[in-house]
Amino acid sequence: MPADDLGLVLRTWLGSRALLAGVLVVVALTRYGFTAAISNWDVQHFMTIARNGYADSLEMAFFPGLPMLMRAGALVGIPMPVTGAVLALICSLLAALALYRIGGTVPACLWLIAPTAVFTTVGYTEAPFCAAAFWAWERARAGRWWPAAGLAALACTLRVSGLFLVGALAVMAVLGDGQWRDGRAGMVARPIDRRPPAIAARLATLVLPLAVLAAYLVYLHRLTGSWTAWFQAQDRGWGRGFTTPLESWRNTVPATSTSAWQSVYGADAAMVALVFRLEILAMVAGCAVTLYCLVRRRWASASWVGIQVLAFSIGHWFMSVNRAVLLWFPLFIAIGELTRGPSRPVGLKLFWRWLVLIAVVIDLGVMVWWGWLFYSGKWSS
């Protein structure tokens, strides 16, 4: 696969979106309509906030950026789920273009066909957050720290992961992110200036995204009188109080059993249990890519993934990790680096190509299955 094929990235974006659109059409025609199919799960929360603000304290677990955009669309007559879906489609392309600039063609294409790519086609925060965060990372690596900070500030309006982004950018400002080959040009990334004044100047830009996070906390405090309103909403609504990683593991393992969901989901219990097994697999992938980045001395990348893995490991159980994988762009870069395949002999090279093709086909099958889960309203992480 060419390392500088932007056209392939664009075709992969179009093809992956078309494939998921086909699943959406089938679900919409056989179940309960187009709008309902793209309005499941968290989309409902974002629409509720767009309509009523934070009248329900549980909704404070969600950041206001996406609901504000949905409300803006509604003011000009666009249904909120449609606004969310169109925004996701545009932002998924922007995120892929940023990842192309960071790591090249292969990581960008892998991200576009990730198993949970369905969440980048509906009114969830994954696509807009990745667009802002990936471009913030790209700008920071290029030494353009004020634009990076502005993009990070935008990311901070969308989800709490913005806090982790700021932390990882701070690590980059101090330690850099190692040296790796630019996926587009095959050039080693520019080393970072580690003189104290330069480090201080880079860190100073991160006051901007931190101010956005602080503003949201102040806003919630004015509504509730509590500085921990966001944490309380997470705990009461989703059971995400603080635990130890061992406790989280012990709470997750029973959820991987079909019998645990039989009384709630009936015939769908096996699918729910499977999704929770995949949550564990996603945690393993997060640990592996963190270790990979540490070995490569990519300190900022290791921080970006590692802090999220830690956050997911100290909640009640491992939940929504499958979606969070979409944020872990170092994972897709690592896969691209580890699967380049042998250059010789010819027979082995041909075998490798077939192996990659089979893996891609399986991946697309899982992506379609996950799309069907979400669009049909079944539990999908």
Side-chain angles (χ1 to χ4, degrees):
M1 184 179 292
D4 57 353
D5 192 350
L6 179 58
L8 182 57
V9 175
L10 298 176
R11 292 192 297 273
T12 303
W13 173 79
L14 184 60
S16 60
R17 305 309 100 168
L19 186 57
L20 287 168
V23 178
L24 173 59
V25 169
V26 171
V27 172
L29 292 178
T30 59
R31 289 180 177 266
Y32 44 64
F34 172 78
T35 302
I38 60 173
S39 301
N40 290 312
W41 300 105
D42 287 0
V43 179
Q44 292 293 325
H45 291 287
F46 293 126
M47 292 194 297
T48 298
I49 297 169
R51 295 189 189 102
N52 308 320
Y54 291 107
D56 183 346
S57 61
L58 289 183
E59 304 294 355
M60 294 176 185
F62 298 91
F63 278 53
L66 182 56
M68 290 173 64
L69 294 172
M70 286 181 165
R71 183 175 179 83
L75 291 177
V76 295
I78 304 175
M80 290 184 187
V82 175
T83 297
V86 171
L87 180 66
L89 290 172
I90 295 171
C91 289
S92 65
L93 176 58
L94 293 175
L97 293 176
L99 188 47
Y100 168 76
R101 289 182 62 88
I102 295 171
T105 301
V106 176
C109 291
L110 290 174
W111 183 83
L112 286 167
I113 61 171
T116 52
V118 64
F119 293 104
T120 65
T121 68
V122 293
Y124 268 57
T125 58
E126 274 70 15
F129 180 87
C130 285
F134 292 3
W135 276 107
W137 200 272
E138 190 277 337
R139 291 290 78 197
R141 287 186 68 221
R144 302 293 299 277
W145 280 87
W146 278 111
L151 289 161
L154 178 60
C156 287
T157 69
L158 295 165
R159 54 191 293 151
V160 72
S161 308
L163 177 61
F164 307 142
L165 175 63
V166 175
L169 288 174
V171 173
M172 186 189 296
V174 177
L175 300 176
D177 199 27
Q179 290 191 342
W180 47 12
R181 290 192 175 276
D182 188 304
R184 294 167 295 124
M187 305 207 32
V188 176
R190 181 176 62 180
I192 194 168
D193 184 350
R194 296 191 178 182
R195 292 175 297 175
I199 292 175
R202 291 192 293 267
L203 289 174
T205 65
L206 300 181
V207 172
L208 183 58
L210 287 175
V212 172
L213 293 170
Y216 184 52
L217 288 180
V218 170
Y219 173 72
L220 293 183
H221 180 265
R222 292 186 64 180
L223 286 180
T224 65
S226 172
W227 289 108
T228 60
W230 182 85
F231 295 98
Q232 292 170 5
Q234 286 281 337
D235 188 20
R236 293 199 307 270
W238 289 267
R240 287 176 171 165
F242 289 112
T243 62
T244 66
L246 182 58
E247 289 174 317
S248 295
W249 166 260
R250 288 173 175 170
N251 292 332
T252 305
V253 170
T256 64
S257 172
T258 300
S259 60
W261 305 103
Q262 201 72 52
S263 60
V264 179
Y265 289 98
D268 293 333
M271 287 187 181
V272 178
L274 176 58
V275 171
F276 272 95
R277 291 175 203 144
L278 292 171
E279 301 279 14
I280 294 176
L281 184 60
M283 287 291 285
V284 172
C287 292
V289 73
T290 301
L291 180 60
Y292 178 86
C293 291
L294 288 173
V295 170
R296 293 295 185 97
R297 298 185 178 182
R298 296 173 185 171
W299 311 121
S301 292
S303 301
W304 171 234
V305 179
I307 190 64
Q308 293 180 66
V309 172
L310 177 62
F312 281 116
S313 73
I314 59 174
H316 175 73
W317 53 6
F318 305 157
M319 187 171 69
S320 300
V321 192
N322 292 322
R323 290 193 285 120
V325 168
L326 292 166
L327 280 58
W328 300 347
F329 68 87
L331 169 62
F332 301 97
I333 292 174
I335 294 173
E337 291 175 339
L338 293 172
T339 57
R340 285 181 180 140
S343 57
R344 60 174 74 86
V346 175
L348 186 57
K349 186 175 182 179
L350 182 62
F351 170 77
W352 183 259
R353 286 179 176 176
W354 275 104
L355 190 63
V356 170
L357 178 61
I358 292 170
V360 169
V361 170
I362 293 173
D363 173 77
L364 291 175
V366 176
M367 184 183 76
V368 167
W369 171 74
W370 225 307
W372 175 78
L373 280 183
F374 180 87
Y375 295 139
S376 59
K378 299 180 185 300
W379 177 244
S380 51
S381 187

